[in-house]
Amino acid sequence: MSEVKVAILGASGYTGAELVRMLASHPRFRMAALTADRKAGQEMASVFPQFAALDLPKLVSIDQVDFAGIDAVFCALPHGTTQDVIAALPGHVKIVDLSADFRLYDLDAYDTWYGHPHKAPDLQKQAVYGLTELKRDAIAKARLVANPGCYPTSVQLPLVPLLKAGLIEADDIIIDSKSGTSGAGRAAKEGILYCEVTEGMHAYGIASHRHSPEIEQELGGAVGKPVSVSFTPHLIPMSRGMLSTINVRLAQGAKAADLRDCWAKTYAGEAFVKVLPAGVAPQTRHVRGANFCFMNAFDDRLAGRAIICSVIDNLVKGASGQAIQNMNLLFDLPETMGIDQQPLFP
């Protein structure tokens, strides 16, 4: 079997490090280039000492990479910085972009939510949204995959099948999501210093978080009409993990058991999406370090309503693990290749 030569752009961030960790055991993908402009010239092990045992390329700037010899690119750069970079890549290179730069189909919406016009509108038309379990066929045919955000992944996996089946009402969805601090990235920021986040939690991006239009875009696509949701993210004092608690109004006569049955049919045979037994609440600690989404549904004490809980590791299924899952599809490889690690517990 021939190897696939891979470049990771932005390897010095948390999602870049997760890509390195998981690709180190991938039997077909070989890391041929790692970039980190501000840390160019350094060894990866000096930036992330946990990789001391790996033989990895030295970190370089993007302009030092010879992309003629690269087959695939994972772009783990900050939002707003990837469009020019990806537009300049040779046509033979397959790309999974972990930023938000190609997730929104509507360029006006991108301008509104990200504060500047899209720099590669023609390329945006080619991008395929990469929620693997629900977009598999389109992803397999793509060159550029827009990897979903972490919050949208935790929300869409449970909600999209239910909306398509007509089991919940599209006009009454309330999403309360909580994320570990790694979701804010590795850059030094006062708001994520230890003393700022430990021993407490807080909401942020209230009524204005940039994942809202991504969530609404995909939920709207599931029902064929615009959908608006109430979405509030929270920062919790742990390194990684994400819990979304979603309050929904049920269709007439539906119960939580019907939601679980719908998921069981939708995700039958899926490696990474698991519906828990009735009454079992998903916990972030049970998916730590793995590419799983665990979910369950509960009847609310309020008649006609249900409470949905889903958990993912925000750095894995919410970012790097799903990115590798998508890249496997682009090269017609088994989706689980290199990312079938079991969760870390305790």
Side-chain angles (χ1 to χ4, degrees):
M1 294 188 296
S2 60
E3 66 180 11
V4 176
K5 295 179 181 177
V6 170
I8 301 174
L9 311 186
S12 62
Y14 289 137
T15 56
E18 279 295 273
L19 286 166
V20 171
R21 178 178 73 88
M22 303 185 91
L23 289 174
S25 60
H26 198 290
R28 291 287 301 279
F29 293 161
R30 179 174 71 82
M31 289 176 279
L34 304 175
T35 82
D37 286 357
R38 286 180 296 176
K39 298 183 183 296
Q42 296 186 38
E43 298 291 343
M44 189 65 174
S46 69
V47 178
F48 288 105
Q50 70 267 31
F51 297 134
L54 297 180
D55 182 15
L56 294 170
K58 186 174 288 190
L59 293 166
V60 297
S61 61
I62 292 174
D63 59 12
Q64 292 177 288
V65 178
D66 179 9
F67 288 102
I70 297 295
D71 302 305
V73 164
F74 290 98
C75 196
L77 299 171
H79 307 319
T81 65
T82 69
Q83 293 154 16
D84 289 336
V85 171
I86 290 176
L89 293 175
H92 74 276
V93 175
K94 296 185 178 183
I95 307 147
V96 176
D97 180 26
L98 284 76
S99 82
D101 280 11
F102 291 94
R103 293 176 190 159
L104 298 183
Y105 313 141
D106 185 335
L107 297 183
D108 291 335
Y110 179 87
D111 191 351
T112 298
W113 285 89
Y114 288 91
H116 61 86
H118 202 283
K119 298 177 183 178
D122 290 338
L123 196 57
Q124 173 63 59
K125 297 173 186 176
Q126 303 173 29
V128 171
Y129 188 76
L131 190 63
T132 319
E133 285 77 12
L134 301 178
K135 305 278 189 177
R136 181 173 285 118
D137 292 342
I139 293 167
K141 300 173 185 176
R143 174 183 173 246
L144 168 59
V145 175
N147 215 57
C150 46
Y151 286 124
T153 295
S154 72
V155 169
Q156 293 172 57
L157 286 171
L159 288 184
V160 167
L162 305 181
L163 287 168
K164 286 184 174 180
L167 289 170
I168 61 174
E169 301 295 339
D171 60 354
D172 190 354
I173 299 174
I174 302 169
I175 303 165
D176 178 315
S177 295
K178 299 174 176 66
S179 175
T181 58
S182 58
R186 201 184 188 207
K189 304 170 189 173
E190 182 179 290
I192 56 173
L193 294 173
Y194 177 81
C195 289
E196 302 290 330
V197 297
T198 193
E199 300 179 36
M201 60 177 291
H202 63 273
Y204 69 100
I206 301 171
S208 63
H209 195 279
R210 290 172 171 177
H211 281 174
S212 297
E214 182 183 342
I215 292 170
E216 293 176 346
Q217 168 184 279
E218 297 303 314
L219 298 187
V223 295
K225 64 180 182 181
V227 170
S228 296
V229 300
S230 176
F231 169 59
T232 308
H234 301 75
L235 196 66
I236 54 179
M238 65 183 189
S239 297
R240 60 166 80 207
M242 178 166 287
L243 165 67
S244 286
T245 302
I246 309 166
N247 293 270
V248 296
R249 180 158 50 92
L250 294 163
Q252 186 68 34
K255 299 291 185 182
D258 299 311
L259 309 190
R260 289 195 297 273
D261 288 343
C262 176
W263 292 332
K265 293 174 183 176
T266 301
Y267 296 120
E270 291 289 352
F272 298 121
V273 180
K274 300 300 176 185
V275 184
L276 300 186
V280 178
Q283 300 182 35
T284 59
R285 60 178 60 86
H286 295 157
V287 296
R288 179 180 171 86
N291 199 51
F292 291 108
C293 175
F294 288 178
M295 61 179 70
N296 214 339
F298 306 83
D299 287 308
D300 199 338
R301 65 182 183 84
L302 303 178
R305 301 192 67 85
I307 301 168
I308 296 166
C309 294
S310 72
V311 295
I312 62 173
D313 185 317
N314 59 294
L315 292 178
V316 188
K317 186 58 175 170
S320 303
Q322 186 161 221
I324 298 171
Q325 190 178 356
N326 285 327
M327 192 67 84
N328 282 336
L329 276 175
L330 296 187
F331 285 90
D332 196 27
L333 299 172
E335 280 180 37
T336 59
M337 185 175 282
I339 52 172
D340 55 356
Q341 299 93 337
Q342 291 302 301
L344 299 170
F345 182 84

